[in-house]
Amino acid sequence: MDTWIEDRPRAQQPTLVGVVGAGYVGLTSAAGLAALGHRVRVIEADPDRLAMLERGELPIVEPGLAELIDELRRAGRLDFTSAMSAVGGASVVLLCVGTPPRSDGDPDLRQLASAARDVASHATADLVVVVKSTVPPGTCDAIELICHGSAREDIAVRVASNPEFLRESRALWDFMHPDRVVVGAAERRVATLIRDLYPAEWPVLLTDRRSAELIKYAANTFLAIKISYANEIAALCEHLGADAGDVLEGTGLDPRVGPQFLKPGPGFGGSCLGKDLSGMIAVANRVGLEAQLPRAAQSVNGWARMRVVEKLEGVIGDLEGKHVAILGLAFKPGTDDIRDSPALDVIAIITERGARVTATDPLAAAVDASIERFDDPYDAVRGADAVAILTACPEFSGLDPHRLRSEMHGTAVIDAVGVIDVDAFEACGLDVAGIDRGTPCAFHPVILSPLRWTLSG
Ligand code: UDX
C-alpha cells in the first residue's frame, strides 16, 4: 500500500459517503475523504466524464489527484458510477455539483436541486445531505424542503452546509490542511456526524446553516476586495513614482493585514471569486442592502483588466493591425482553467480594436478559434509588436530576453503579473511596463503641493 494514504491523519468514524458531481470540489473531496479512511462512491451523470474517470483519466488538471484516485480505486476505497441508487447505503451524501452564475449575479441552483431530488428519492434509510457547493444563504433550507418532497415518508433527510475552501492547483493540499472546516446544521446530531468525517485535530467551526453558507461568500468576497485594493494601490504607486511591491509588502507585514492576496495584476479570475462576489451583491440586494465594498471590488477588477489594454496602447499606440502575443491564458498558474480569466477580456478587447493575437500557455487550450495558440512561447512571440504576460507561470519567468527580443518585431513587453527580471529584459533593449512600477521623477507634479505647503509655512 502506498504511503500517501497511510500517512494521512485518520477520520474519527469510517463512513460510506456518496459524492454527487466529479468536478474540482467533488473529486478532491472524494479523494480526500477516501484517503482519510472512508469508503466513497462518486456519482457522475455525464457519460463522457464518467468514461474518462473509469479509464483513470481526470477531467481537470490538479497536481497529485490522478495518482491518489488511482491508488484509492485499487485499494477499493473509491469508485465511480452513474447510478444514483449508489447512495442507498450511504449515511452521508455530499452535493458537489456546479452553481454557475446567472446573468443577474445569482447562482443557477438547478443542478443542485435536481441532484438533491435524485438523492432523496433513492435514499433507503435516514440520510444527511451535505451541500459543498457555494450557495446563497437559505439554500440549505430550500434543499431540505425539496428532499422532504422527494424522499419516502418513513425516511428523514437532513440538509447541512459544509463549504469547501480549496484553491485550484492546490486542491488536495488545501483539503488535507484546512485552516478551518465549517459545518452548518440545524441539529447537533447532524453537525457531529459531519464533523466526525474529519480527523479530530482539524479545526472545526460548528454553526447554523445560513451562517456557514455566508462564511464562504464572506471569505471569497474579502479576498476579492483585498486584490482590488492591491490593484488600486499599485496604480497609485505608478502615478506617485512609488514602488508598489515595497508598499504592499510593507502593508502586508502588519499581521492585521497579512501578506497574502496583495499581489497586483490584471485582476482576479477563476470560477469562484468573481462569481461569489456577484452572489454576495445579489444576496445583499435581496434584503435591501447595497454591498458597497463588494461592488467597488467588482468595478476595480474590470478596470484592472482594462489597464492592461491601456498599457498596450500606451506603448504601441493604436492596436489596429498590430500583432500582440499573449503569454498566459489560464486565470492563474498551475491550471488549464480559463474561466473568467483576465486574458479572455484582454483578448476580446484588443481583438475588437483590430489587433492580431497569438498566444501560449503551458496548460490551457486556445480561448477561441480567432487566436493562434502555440506551445512554445518563442513561436507565439515571433513577429509580435508587443508581448503581454497575463499569467504568472514559472515558464515565463525563465524566458531568455535575448531570444525574445530577436523573435519579436517590436520591443514592448507588458508584464502584468510581475514574473520577469525587468532589468535583464531592459538590458536587451526591451521596453518593459509592469502593473506596479512607477517612473521615479525628481520633479514629478506630485511634489508640487507638498513643496508649496512646505514653503508657505
Ligand atoms: C479561490 C479561493 O482562494 C478559494 O479559497 C475558494 O475556495 C475558491 O476561490 P481559486 O479560484 O482556485 O481559489 O484561486 P486563487 O488562488 O484564490 O486566485 C484567484 C484569482 O486571484 C487568480 O486570478 C489570481 O491570479 C488572483 N490573485 C490572487 C491576485 O490577483 N492577487 C493575489 O494576491 C492573489
Side-chain angles (χ1 to χ4, degrees):
M1 177 71 63
D2 193 293
T3 50
W4 208 99
I5 301 179
E6 292 310 309
D7 283 352
R8 297 302 97 197
R10 312 304 299 164
Q12 307 191 44
Q13 198 73 41
T15 306
L16 176 59
V17 181
V19 172
V20 182
Y24 274 103
V25 173
L27 286 173
T28 309
S29 307
L33 288 170
L36 290 174
H38 300 293
R39 170 80 181 84
V40 182
R41 310 208 70 184
V42 180
I43 299 122
E44 171 56 53
D46 179 336
D48 294 337
R49 192 167 265 236
L50 185 65
M52 230 179 148
L53 291 164
E54 279 170 346
R55 285 196 302 272
E57 296 163 23
L58 288 198
I60 57 170
V61 175
E62 196 55 53
L65 191 57
E67 296 80 356
L68 178 61
I69 287 179
D70 182 50
E71 204 180 312
L72 291 162
R73 286 178 78 196
R74 282 189 282 111
R77 297 214 203 145
L78 176 69
D79 61 27
F80 299 105
T81 176
S82 61
M84 197 50 92
S85 53
V87 303
S91 46
V92 182
V93 175
L94 312 188
L95 301 185
C96 305
V97 294
T99 54
R102 299 189 318 193
S103 54
D104 62 1
D106 269 322
D108 181 344
L109 299 176
R110 283 175 298 178
Q111 288 182 54
L112 194 69
S114 137
R117 216 173 277 122
D118 268 6
V119 168
S121 64
H122 284 89
T124 51
D126 288 358
L127 183 65
V128 172
V129 169
V130 179
V131 176
K132 276 253 158 212
S133 318
T134 304
V135 290
T139 302
C140 283
D141 302 55
I143 295 291
E144 193 162 274
L145 288 176
I146 289 175
C147 289
H148 281 317
S150 308
R152 272 180 12 209
E153 272 186 13
D154 59 325
I155 289 178
V157 181
R158 298 279 177 251
V159 176
S161 165
N162 176 209
E164 188 49 66
F165 297 95
L166 57 84
R167 287 163 294 179
E168 286 182 28
S169 84
R170 300 185 45 127
L172 261 184
W173 167 267
D174 284 349
F175 185 92
M176 287 299 183
H177 304 87
D179 303 314
R180 75 297 207 196
V181 173
V182 173
V183 177
E187 294 162 46
R188 186 87 198 174
R189 178 187 65 80
V190 173
T192 311
L193 182 76
I194 300 169
R195 187 199 60 196
D196 288 351
L197 291 174
Y198 304 106
E201 60 274 24
W202 285 12
V204 178
L205 176 78
L206 298 183
T207 182
D208 63 90
R209 295 188 291 205
R210 290 182 201 174
S211 302
E213 291 166 326
L214 189 56
I215 285 170
K216 180 64 195 280
Y217 269 175
N220 273 357
T221 298
F222 187 76
L223 296 177
I225 290 171
K226 216 173 164 190
I227 297 168
S228 282
Y229 181 71
N231 278 324
E232 283 224 290
I233 294 293
L236 190 58
C237 286
E238 279 178 29
H239 284 85
L240 296 176
D243 183 318
D246 288 349
V247 171
L248 289 163
E249 186 186 344
T251 307
L253 280 171
D254 182 333
R256 292 170 299 177
V257 178
Q260 295 187 52
F261 280 71
L262 278 183
K263 191 163 171 15
F268 55 78
S271 64
C272 293
L273 294 197
K275 173 170 75 76
D276 295 353
L277 200 51
S278 308
M280 178 75 146
I281 293 168
V283 162
N285 287 173
R286 262 201 305 282
V287 293
L289 297 172
E290 272 189 42
Q292 298 177 68
L293 280 175
R295 271 185 200 285
Q298 197 176 49
S299 121
V300 169
N301 202 45
W303 165 83
R305 293 170 178 204
M306 199 60 206
R307 282 182 76 217
V308 176
V309 178
E310 283 164 8
K311 278 175 186 284
L312 270 171
E313 287 177 332
V315 283
I316 59 171
D318 190 350
L319 293 175
E320 180 65 46
K322 300 279 170 47
H323 173 185
V324 178
I326 301 289
L327 272 48
L329 297 169
F331 80 97
K332 68 174 186 179
T335 178
D336 64 343
D337 196 344
I338 57 167
R339 284 178 289 176
D340 196 26
S341 173
L344 303 191
D345 273 351
V346 171
I347 290 172
I349 300 166
I350 65 176
T351 310
E352 216 248 323
R353 295 188 183 181
R356 176 184 152 231
V357 176
T358 50
T360 185
D361 189 286
L363 297 167
V367 175
D368 65 48
S370 71
I371 63 160
E372 293 169 71
R373 183 195 175 281
F374 296 89
D375 285 336
D376 185 338
Y378 298 108
D379 290 337
V381 304
R382 189 158 302 128
D385 295 294
V387 166
I389 309 176
L390 301 185
T391 313
C393 301
E395 288 82 352
F396 303 148
S397 46
L399 286 173
D400 172 6
H402 290 283
R403 178 140 181 232
L404 200 82
R405 173 76 190 88
S406 66
E407 297 288 1
M408 288 176 66
H409 170 68
T411 57
V413 176
I414 311 290
D415 179 14
V417 284
V419 286
I420 61 169
D421 177 344
V422 177
D423 294 337
F425 271 58
E426 286 183 343
C428 293
L430 291 161
D431 300 308
V432 181
I435 287 293
D436 55 352
R437 291 197 6 149
T439 315
C441 161
F443 207 76
H444 195 280
V446 80
I447 72 165
L448 287 179
S449 297
L451 190 61
R452 206 170 46 237
W453 296 327
T454 316
L455 298 178
S456 64

